[in-house]
Amino acid sequence: MKTKVITTIVLFVLSVTGKFYAVAPAPTKVDLRTNITNFNIPVKSQGSRNTCSVYASTFLLEYEAARASNQKGIDYSEDYLNAVTDIVKGSKDDGDFFNNVLNGYLKFGTVDESDFPTDTKSYDPNKLPSDSLLNDGKANVKYVPVFIKSIPATGEPWGLSDENIAQIIAQLDAGRPVAAGWRLAKGGTIENSKVLGVDAWSKNVMKTPLDFVGHSMAIVGYAKGTPSEGGYFIIRNSGGADWGDKGYWYCTFDFAKQNIADVFYFKPKPRDLRVQLPRPIYQPVPHYIHLNTLRQIPLRTKTNVIILQKPGS
């Protein structure tokens, strides 16, 4: 069901003058937004919460479940996944690293939004699922995460390799979205460049090497041209359909290489597989950018200014 345009190589074209001219191959494209629309998985908004990693992970689970069952309108609870992450980690954090969110899922699964409604305005650390609901969630652990790139340990560099980019593209080719942890300029700017006809994030302009804030978003497609043309990824945010291009935006391959810390996807869980949990991360949860701040970014301008809210605002 995925939309894909395969590159066709045409060496020469005979013109009316009888001369031959070289013709560049068409870009290779994969865009899972058609599938997402057909599965009725609308872009959600995390509101003023710090739960971008939870939203990105939940979207991947909804998509995989819809693809496996061809069922439309699957809607899992972000607050449930957030709560079981706290239970497993033994903390009270609103949002967390992918590693901890995935540990929560692998231990307690997921449940429907209607069974544990999500509050996008405030976090209640005492809002916990019942034992009965936890048992229901456990029965819904049907996928296991696979990391293309794990989060760097302290002192290790950010960023992806060319091989990592190729692995992301391979999953998109297979019709599977991925989720990534990004860094965005905090006191500086994010520049856009025109790539294959779209405006795409191309550079974080940071005042210092530590002048960034974390944010988690899914990748749902790409377009790749010639080496001189480059390419871009299609990003799905958790800012609602009024953010960016109907809830989506674009970034160059180079931007992804420089500004992604970790990236993973889900695959079906084999019956005989013993689940290996990601390493827990006990360091303080980063302050992710609030979506009402992210909505202020003038995406369609050449330079995008990000204003970070103070923690707790």
Side-chain angles (χ1 to χ4, degrees):
M1 293 177 63
K2 61 182 180 296
T3 302
K4 182 172 182 179
V5 179
I6 305 297
T7 300
T8 301
I9 300 176
V10 180
L11 296 180
F12 295 97
V13 173
L14 180 63
S15 73
V16 293
T17 63
K19 297 180 180 180
F20 288 90
Y21 296 93
V23 177
T28 301
K29 296 182 179 181
V30 168
D31 189 341
L32 300 182
R33 287 178 291 184
T34 299
N35 289 12
I36 293 167
T37 300
N38 290 339
F39 289 144
N40 189 21
I41 308 176
V43 177
K44 300 178 184 177
S45 173
Q46 69 186 71
S48 58
R49 300 278 297 278
N50 197 36
T51 48
C52 51
S53 296
V54 174
Y55 273 76
S57 302
T58 300
F59 161 67
L60 260 60
L61 289 169
E62 291 169 342
Y63 185 92
E64 289 299 322
R67 191 165 71 136
S69 64
N70 202 29
Q71 179 181 344
K72 297 183 178 181
I74 293 177
D75 185 9
Y76 292 142
S77 168
E78 285 79 17
D79 260 3
Y80 177 87
L81 186 54
N82 197 55
V84 298
T85 299
D86 283 355
I87 292 172
V88 170
K89 187 180 177 184
S91 65
K92 295 182 178 181
D93 294 315
D94 194 22
D96 218 306
F97 296 94
F98 278 137
N99 289 44
N100 297 332
V101 172
L102 296 174
N103 281 334
Y105 165 73
L106 292 171
K107 180 71 174 178
F108 292 110
T110 187
V111 299
D112 289 340
E113 171 68 21
S114 59
D115 292 327
F116 199 78
T118 300
D119 184 347
T120 60
K121 295 181 180 179
S122 62
Y123 166 59
D124 180 0
N126 298 315
K127 177 186 175 184
L128 298 174
S130 65
D131 289 343
S132 174
L133 196 58
L134 290 173
N135 286 330
D136 290 343
K138 289 178 182 179
N140 208 19
V141 181
K142 299 180 180 179
Y143 304 94
V144 293
V146 179
F147 275 90
I148 292 174
K149 171 72 182 299
S150 298
I151 189 168
T154 302
E156 292 182 352
W158 277 61
L160 303 179
S161 65
D162 289 335
E163 180 181 358
N164 295 149
I165 296 293
Q167 291 171 316
I168 293 173
I169 289 174
Q171 292 307 315
L172 294 169
D173 284 343
R176 179 178 289 121
V178 305
W182 307 71
R183 62 178 175 183
L184 303 177
K186 177 181 175 182
T189 60
I190 300 179
E191 292 182 353
N192 277 347
S193 295
K194 186 75 73 173
V195 181
L196 298 175
V198 305
D199 290 326
W201 285 344
S202 59
K203 186 178 181 181
N204 264 330
V205 182
M206 298 183 291
K207 294 181 178 180
T208 69
L210 297 179
D211 179 37
F212 68 88
V213 63
H215 189 48
S216 298
M217 297 180 287
I219 300 175
V220 301
Y222 74 91
K224 179 172 62 174
T226 63
S228 62
E229 291 174 314
Y232 63 82
F233 286 122
I234 305 171
I235 304 166
R236 175 183 167 106
N237 204 352
S238 48
D242 60 342
W243 182 89
D245 183 5
K246 299 179 181 178
Y248 298 85
W249 198 244
Y250 313 89
C251 80
T252 66
F253 291 161
D254 283 343
F255 187 89
K257 286 175 63 176
Q258 295 167 13
N259 297 293
I260 287 180
D262 53 345
V263 58
F264 78 95
Y265 61 91
F266 282 112
K267 70 176 184 179
K269 176 186 174 184
R271 292 183 179 180
D272 59 348
L273 177 68
R274 184 175 180 179
V275 176
Q276 182 175 359
L277 299 178
R279 65 177 175 90
I281 300 176
Y282 294 106
Q283 67 195 66
V285 176
H287 176 60
Y288 292 108
I289 193 167
H290 287 280
L291 263 295
N292 53 351
T293 298
L294 202 56
R295 286 198 190 100
Q296 298 173 11
I297 302 174
L299 288 170
R300 299 188 182 279
T301 62
K302 181 178 179 181
T303 302
N304 304 320
V305 179
I306 290 182
I307 304 173
L308 178 66
Q309 289 183 324
K310 296 179 180 179
S313 58

